[in-house]
Amino acid sequence: MRILGISAYYHDSAAALLVGGEVVAAAQEERFSRKKHDSRFPASAARYCLNSQGLTLADIDAVVYYEKPLLTFERLLETYLGAAPRGGRSFVAAMQVWLKEKLFLKTELKRQIAALGEPDAKHPELLFSEHHLSHAGAAFYPSPFEKAAVLCMDGVGEWATTSAWLGDGPDLSSLWEINFPHSLGLLYSAFTYYCGFKVNSGEYKLMGLAPYGEPRYVDQIKQHLIDIKPDGTFRLDLSYFKFHRGFRMTGRKFHQLFGRPPRKGETELSQFHMDLAASIQVVTEEVVLKLARTLRDETGATALCLSGGVALNCVANGRLLREGIFDQIWIQPASGDAGSALGAALVAWHQHFKNARQLVSGDAMKGTYLGPEFSNSEICEYLTSINAPFQALEDPHLFDRLAELLDQGKVVGWFNGRMEFGPRALGARSIIGDPRNQQMQSVMNLKIKYRESFRPFAPSVLEHEVSNQFELNAQSPYMLLVAPVKKELCQSMTAEQEQLFGIEKLNVSRSSLPAITHVDYSARVQTVSERTNPRYFNLIKAFQHRTDCPTIVNTSFNVRGEPIVCTPQDAYRCFMRTEMDVLVLQNQLLLKEEQSQEEADESWKQEFELD
């Protein structure tokens, strides 16, 4: 049996394919359309899933959409009616979209699905999951646990914003949920908006900003904005917000509470914004920890699965692991709505078609390397067609040469195997560098990524070396856990350096791995396994052999505002537009100094809207 899962029409649309219950392909539409967070029907992603397995639409037994649109429409109507007469303009705008597109989504989905096949092809059955059920399915079914508690936290689905489940074999039972408008995800997004970042995109920037600040506003937030109960459930005071009845996230009362209007994007970040980021991070962690303790008490389960956008808050995830509330934690790598395409397909496989569940050692995500791949011959043909000088090297020679270039301080674009499914680059479409290099963070931020200088980079470490480099004794294959850098590697600051505030701290070397050590001595860790990504593993091993360092810097292969590269063409274009030194396309090594330098044209920077 073959099932195609689809998520679309809100943000981060995606497609995922199951064959006989096995996850064989998944990708976000943005990687093909080159439009970040693309919400349109994922036609290209769906075609990729089919083509990758040599299938056509006629071979598919069922297509599953990740939520029930009419329930979402019901929530919108009830919310606007409850807030009336306020929110009139926003209501009219929302209704225009619904009446034009979303209210008749079943018809639209059938039309789009039919367009994937031949005109006279048999059409598969169309099924609908529910938003949080899809999140829960994505969290539990691919996990390595026979039984686990499941916690889903996001902005909002149909009604639910937080939901708890118990997974046991093929069964996934709903325990309880917190409904809109009381939403931890939307509270975090309100601060994202207020600090001048884009909602549904800039939340991770707010998380990266938090270590520069002090949590001075925690009491203010808890006294006015959110009432947190002892069991972790919560209610928001809606008089401070506008997300439920307007175009903005926060209202005048919110701005008066903190004494200033929202920051405009791209303007200077002040200590105030850093303190706010630190404060909402503390509040978020308090809610997550209390909910986890409640869930442990209610279910008796020893393992926890997480999904939903809030599960991408890897600082909170790291805290949850350290608190030891559950013995084991597994987090879906595509925790946002993109992963719900996979969750919806898995829900249909186990719940609608009543199939048993087979546990997979590690997990069933295959390292989340589920996207397109390109052969050496395809890459050579492309490079030859554009007259790009390159050298083809066998793996051992390539890795030794790259270790040498990294040791020299070069920045390398690394294009390897199947593309990652989910928001993180994990050694398939990555830009890599030497973490020991004091200049690496600012070089990568300002000359390669063209992004804000405060944002830290993540380390990729050989999985058997993780506890030698970080205060972490668990695997973190999907870069979803933040942990302190090992004390022995850290360097104390002088009394003078201790007095520095905010971003001034960034230039102080705090460990022997300065490029990946955040200002609070933490790092967002990826452990690299030989089982799921042998070439990336062996590259880092070669770097360790040369330098004694089992860690490299890993950031996504893109520039700011651009989706992560998908094809060799995307990668070469990104390589030539930035100050990257080296590009590796599978076994082909390209040096920037050997490439034809066309006349500088900066207009491409307008191509991608800043995130």
Side-chain angles (χ1 to χ4, degrees), residues 184-288:
L184 184 62
L186 288 174
L187 174 68
Y188 201 88
S189 291
F191 280 88
T192 302
Y193 164 83
Y194 186 66
C195 289
F197 304 119
K198 273 192 177 178
V199 172
N200 288 330
S201 169
E203 281 77 3
Y204 63 99
K205 296 184 186 179
L206 194 68
M207 185 181 70
L209 191 65
Y212 293 100
E214 296 293 332
R216 304 179 198 281
Y217 299 100
V218 170
D219 290 343
Q220 219 163 329
I221 293 170
K222 289 166 65 175
Q223 284 167 12
H224 296 276
L225 302 182
I226 182 170
D227 177 19
I228 306 171
K229 310 295 184 190
D231 63 359
T233 57
F234 54 85
R235 288 185 69 80
L236 302 184
D237 184 339
L238 296 173
S239 65
Y240 289 88
F241 301 95
K242 292 194 80 170
F243 60 76
H244 57 299
R245 59 179 174 86
F247 296 105
R248 295 181 298 164
M249 296 297 292
T250 54
R252 190 178 302 162
K253 203 170 164 184
F254 188 106
H255 310 155
Q256 288 170 345
L257 178 66
F258 295 108
R260 61 180 76 184
R263 170 182 169 258
K264 291 184 178 173
E266 308 304 313
T267 57
E268 189 178 354
L269 282 162
S270 68
Q271 191 64 44
F272 167 72
H273 300 106
M274 298 169 198
D275 293 343
L276 266 190
S279 304
I280 191 60
Q281 182 64 37
V282 167
V283 172
T284 301
E285 289 174 24
E286 179 181 334
V287 174
V288 171

Side-chain angles (χ1 to χ4, degrees), residues 506-528:
L506 185 67
N507 296 323
V508 179
S509 181
R510 313 167 86 78
S511 81
S512 57
L513 303 172
I516 57 88
T517 305
H518 208 350
V519 292
D520 60 353
Y521 292 96
S522 71
R524 185 160 45 93
V525 179
Q526 180 204 0
T527 53
V528 179

Side-chain angles (χ1 to χ4, degrees), residues 261-513:
R263 170 182 169 258
K264 291 184 178 173
E266 308 304 313
T267 57
E268 189 178 354
L269 282 162
S270 68
Q271 191 64 44
F272 167 72
H273 300 106
M274 298 169 198
D275 293 343
L276 266 190
S279 304
I280 191 60
Q281 182 64 37
V282 167
V283 172
T284 301
E285 289 174 24
E286 179 181 334
V287 174
V288 171
L289 292 176
K290 284 184 171 174
L291 288 174
R293 286 195 184 94
T294 299
L295 208 46
R296 172 69 200 248
D297 292 341
E298 287 179 350
T299 64
T302 58
L304 176 67
C305 299
L306 294 171
S307 189
V310 178
L312 292 172
N313 190 313
C314 37
V315 180
N317 296 342
R319 177 90 187 278
L320 191 55
L321 184 71
R322 288 195 297 279
E323 292 287 328
I325 301 167
F326 286 88
D327 298 347
Q328 294 173 286
I329 295 174
W330 190 85
I331 307 156
Q332 164 57 240
S335 268
D337 283 359
S340 294
L342 175 59
L346 287 164
V347 166
W349 171 254
H350 291 295
Q351 298 198 355
H352 184 79
F353 294 109
K354 306 291 183 191
N355 287 296
R357 179 166 173 250
Q358 305 291 331
L359 288 185
V360 176
S361 175
D363 64 45
M365 290 298 294
K366 301 181 177 176
T368 207
Y369 304 111
L370 297 166
E373 64 181 337
F374 298 85
S375 66
N376 278 322
S377 59
E378 287 174 301
I379 291 166
C380 289
E381 187 179 343
Y382 163 63
L383 293 176
T384 303
S385 74
I386 60 170
N387 297 319
F390 68 93
Q391 187 179 10
L393 296 172
E394 293 298 318
D395 276 358
H397 295 113
L398 176 66
F399 301 152
D400 286 344
R401 177 76 173 120
L402 285 175
E404 179 187 6
L405 290 165
L406 290 167
D407 190 24
Q408 291 170 0
K410 305 294 187 189
V411 178
V412 177
W414 169 253
F415 183 100
N416 165 45
R418 296 187 72 177
M419 183 179 71
E420 304 91 341
F421 177 51
R424 304 278 184 252
L426 300 168
R429 304 289 186 274
S430 293
I431 297 172
I432 57 177
D434 182 353
R436 304 165 305 155
N437 189 316
Q438 175 67 33
Q439 308 304 320
M440 189 54 64
Q441 184 181 41
S442 59
V443 168
M444 277 190 163
N445 264 333
L446 301 177
K447 293 188 175 180
I448 312 291
K449 303 280 287 188
Y450 302 111
R451 70 181 199 180
E452 302 92 333
S453 60
F454 71 85
R455 292 171 59 187
F457 287 107
S460 292
V461 59
L462 298 175
E463 63 177 358
H464 59 276
E465 297 278 6
V466 63
S467 58
N468 297 324
Q469 301 272 291
F470 304 97
E471 303 290 346
L472 181 65
N473 289 312
Q475 299 304 310
S476 178
Y478 304 123
M479 205 186 275
L480 287 169
L481 294 173
V482 164
V485 173
K486 196 80 178 172
K487 282 194 178 70
E488 293 84 336
L489 304 179
C490 293
Q491 297 163 4
S492 301
M493 288 193 295
T494 64
E496 188 180 348
Q497 290 167 338
E498 292 280 4
Q499 300 305 311
L500 295 173
F501 287 99
I503 291 173
E504 289 178 344
K505 293 178 180 175
L506 185 67
N507 296 323
V508 179
S509 181
R510 313 167 86 78
S511 81
S512 57
L513 303 172

Side-chain angles (χ1 to χ4, degrees), residues 107-126:
T107 305
E108 175 65 10
L109 280 170
K110 284 185 173 179
R111 189 181 70 79
Q112 293 282 2
I113 292 165
L116 296 173
E118 297 296 322
D120 56 350
K122 172 178 78 77
H123 293 174
E125 181 180 8
L126 178 58

